[in-house]
Amino acid sequence: MNEIKNKWLELIIVLSAPLLSVIDVFIINVAIPTIKRGVHATDGEVQLVIAGYLLGYAAFLITGGRAGDHFGRKKVFFLGMFAFTIASCLCGLSQTALQLNVTRIFQGLSASFMVPQTIAFIQLLFTDTKERAKAFGLYGITLGTAAVIGQVLGGYLSDLHWFVEGWRLVFFINLPIGIVTLWATHKFVTETVKHQNTKFDYTGILILTGALFSLIYPLIQGREAGWPLWSFGLLILSGLLFVFFIYNQKIKLSNNENPLIDVRLFRIKDFNIGLVAVLFHFMLHTAYLLLSAVYLQNGLGISALDSGVYFVVPGILFITSSVMASRLIVKFGKRVLQVGVIILLVAFSLQMMLWKPGISTWLIIGLMGIWGFGNGLVLPSLLNVALKNVPSQYAGAAAGIYSTFQQTASALGVSIIGGVFFYFSKNGWQTAYHFGMICLLICVFMVGIMLQLLPSMKTDAETSKKMIKTI
């Protein structure tokens, strides 16, 4: 009995990593207007406050997972949490937009070393299939709930004015949480077996980081600069770097050099379709939270505190539908997610038509509640959809690719859809929101197509293994 309690205690402690990392993405959304004024930032610079964090996060997720194998997961988790706490304080102390964006990248980088250890701990602590399913379900619910908590906290803290400006508390709140987590990790979490033969693919890390930076940075700053030649040059360079990265990984795999990612996984059709679904859903998920938070304040004249509170009801409905989905998906499969997609299409369409100055509070909350319920049917189950046919021996590598796709998609959502939103803001916030919602509807439609392409019946595991071997 004590062993079971200890396992769940360790899980609760390590779940603080995804909780904090996701909160730190979304706590910024509601605080964006006050942060912009606080550091005298442009629209592009405040987009980078979110996208820069996601860039540092996505680029080193796989490396962070490998570090846990090599040095021990408890040690890497502890050091990652320590660095994350320090970086959060530096963000709160920033005086300029440049300082804030640089420290946000380091904050995302530190998160990329602590978060993968959570997934690894779940796999190591819960060997029973049912217990592991419950643990992963709790992990998925934590991610979605953290997004909503972030929105609420961002609104509440932004309106506070103590001895420092309110927006700085958005970052300083991580200090007490980080200290408690570090103490609990040291006292209660046990170290895992170290695999000292694990080698890092340093060139792979550099190529992937360069490709992601060359994609994200011009999408944000290029619009604001009037799309100069350097922005198109970087976009072309990003495409070339991604192609070279895949080629580099194939060569290393054929030479048994332990590449950053196992490209053989892309031979599994269902895995590829699942990743595309993840790409579009996390683009729309992150972008929606940014667009709605900014529009509620700038377009509808709602305070930061009140706009944050508006996310409570959709948060509750998200948790409710997430729990429902975890049970229903066993019986109905992808149809649960398809119902969620339909609900999202309805929610976004109604918001695009009805969210205008003068709209009642209850209608805003009601439409956001529909979004929260539909999102809960889709988001937590995407991990299961993307990885369901991956052979067990490739589960770790597949999870790393999935996490990288997820964070990159979130950065792209802020960069592309957020860019469209801020571009049209010069014509009024209502016009900006209208065009932003059109982008979101396109993304939802693409998620629906990907889910339709997924087979209803589970692919035989042996078939997946044969696909992997035919590289």
Side-chain angles (χ1 to χ4, degrees):
M1 184 64 70
N2 286 335
E3 183 180 349
I4 295 174
K5 288 182 179 178
N6 289 338
K7 286 196 300 186
W8 287 100
L9 176 60
E10 287 189 54
L11 175 62
I12 291 171
I13 293 170
V14 296
L15 277 175
S16 62
L19 180 72
L20 280 178
S21 66
V22 174
I23 284 177
D24 257 67
V25 174
F26 297 105
I27 200 171
I28 300 300
N29 289 335
V30 180
I32 279 293
T34 52
I35 291 175
K36 182 180 179 181
R37 292 192 296 269
V39 294
H40 309 291
T42 63
D43 287 336
E45 286 171 335
V46 293
Q47 279 180 271
L48 273 177
V49 173
I50 302 173
Y53 175 89
L54 293 168
L55 177 63
Y57 194 179
F60 289 89
L61 267 170
I62 299 175
T63 307
R66 294 285 179 86
D69 289 334
H70 188 78
F71 298 107
R73 303 201 176 278
K74 176 181 176 179
K75 182 177 182 179
V76 174
F77 178 84
F78 185 92
L79 292 175
M81 180 63 70
F82 179 78
F84 183 86
T85 305
I86 296 299
S88 298
C89 293
L90 291 175
C91 288
L93 294 170
S94 297
Q95 300 299 314
T96 66
L98 177 61
Q99 290 175 5
L100 180 57
N101 282 320
V102 170
T103 50
R104 280 286 283 176
I105 291 174
F106 280 106
Q107 193 184 29
L109 194 154
S110 59
S112 71
F113 279 84
M114 65 180 186
V115 172
Q117 314 317 320
T118 302
I119 298 176
F121 269 113
I122 291 175
Q123 293 174 313
L124 292 170
L125 291 172
F126 301 94
T127 54
D128 179 75
T129 305
K130 291 183 179 180
E131 280 195 336
R132 182 177 290 184
K134 290 179 182 178
F136 271 120
L138 185 59
Y139 177 83
I141 292 172
T142 299
L143 295 181
T145 306
V148 178
I149 291 174
Q151 300 280 115
V152 176
L153 274 178
Y156 176 72
L157 295 175
S158 294
D159 269 8
L160 286 181
H161 296 287
W162 291 351
F163 54 94
V164 295
E165 296 169 275
W167 67 267
R168 297 185 187 277
L169 297 174
V170 165
F171 300 106
F172 288 144
I173 193 174
N174 291 334
L175 178 60
I177 299 173
I179 291 173
V180 172
T181 302
L182 289 169
W183 170 81
T185 301
H186 174 72
K187 188 171 181 62
F188 298 109
V189 177
T190 55
E191 185 57 280
T192 59
V193 177
K194 302 175 185 178
H195 303 281
Q196 298 290 351
N197 59 339
T198 304
K199 295 181 180 179
F200 291 125
D201 180 8
Y202 293 106
T203 55
I205 295 168
L206 288 174
I207 297 169
L208 179 60
T209 304
L212 289 170
F213 176 83
S214 299
L215 175 64
I216 301 298
Y217 186 78
L219 287 175
I220 294 176
Q221 293 298 321
R223 173 189 60 80
E224 208 160 65
W227 297 109
L229 286 177
W230 63 259
S231 61
F232 291 104
L234 280 178
L235 290 172
I236 294 171
L237 177 62
S238 72
L240 295 174
L241 286 174
F242 278 121
V243 171
F244 179 64
F245 175 73
I246 296 299
Y247 171 77
N248 175 268
Q249 298 297 287
K250 285 184 176 181
I251 294 297
K252 288 177 179 176
L253 184 64
S254 62
N255 294 335
N256 295 316
E257 294 181 10
N258 198 22
L260 191 62
I261 65 171
D262 194 329
V263 292
R264 291 176 296 185
L265 286 165
F266 296 116
R267 292 288 176 176
I268 303 176
K269 181 181 177 182
D270 295 355
F271 181 65
N272 289 335
I273 295 173
L275 286 180
V276 177
V278 167
L279 177 69
F280 282 103
H281 190 79
F282 276 90
M283 280 182 65
L284 74 90
H285 175 67
T286 310
Y288 171 76
L289 291 171
L290 171 64
L291 268 58
S292 56
V294 174
Y295 182 64
L296 284 173
Q297 294 176 67
N298 293 343
L300 301 181
I302 298 170
S303 69
L305 176 60
D306 288 342
S307 61
V309 172
Y310 282 7
F311 285 90
V312 173
V313 171
I316 294 172
L317 290 174
F318 174 90
I319 296 171
T320 303
S321 59
S322 296
V323 174
M324 290 172 53
S326 65
R327 297 174 180 175
L328 294 174
I329 199 167
V330 177
K331 183 177 181 180
F332 298 104
K334 68 176 185 179
R335 281 179 287 178
V336 177
L337 282 79
Q338 289 174 316
V339 170
V341 166
I342 293 171
I343 293 174
L344 287 176
L345 285 170
V346 172
F348 289 157
S349 298
L350 290 175
Q351 287 185 33
M352 185 171 65
M353 292 186 292
L354 301 176
W355 274 30
K356 299 176 181 178
I359 184 174
S360 72
T361 297
W362 291 111
L363 187 54
I364 294 174
I365 294 175
L367 293 178
M368 290 180 71
I370 296 173
W371 158 75
F373 187 84
N375 197 35
L377 294 177
V378 182
L379 189 147
S381 301
L382 277 177
L383 176 62
N384 185 38
V385 168
L387 305 182
K388 67 174 183 175
N389 294 326
V390 174
S392 57
Q393 64 266 40
Y394 295 97
I401 295 173
Y402 170 88
S403 298
T404 302
F405 255 75
Q406 175 184 319
Q407 300 306 323
T408 302
S410 296
L412 287 174
V414 172
S415 306
I416 299 174
I417 302 176
V420 171
F421 175 71
F422 283 115
Y423 175 79
F424 283 102
S425 65
K426 61 187 179 183
N427 299 321
W429 289 108
Q430 189 174 336
T431 301
Y433 194 68
H434 179 86
F435 280 98
M437 293 305 289
I438 290 175
C439 295
L440 296 181
L441 287 169
I442 292 172
C443 287
V444 176
F445 185 70
M446 291 302 299
V447 174
I449 291 176
M450 293 303 108
L451 291 174
Q452 185 62 36
L453 291 175
L454 283 172
S456 298
M457 300 300 292
K458 188 174 181 178
T459 304
D460 191 292
E462 290 300 320
T463 303
S464 295
K465 290 180 182 178
K466 289 177 182 178
M467 289 179 183
I468 286 177
K469 290 179 181 178
T470 58
I471 187 169

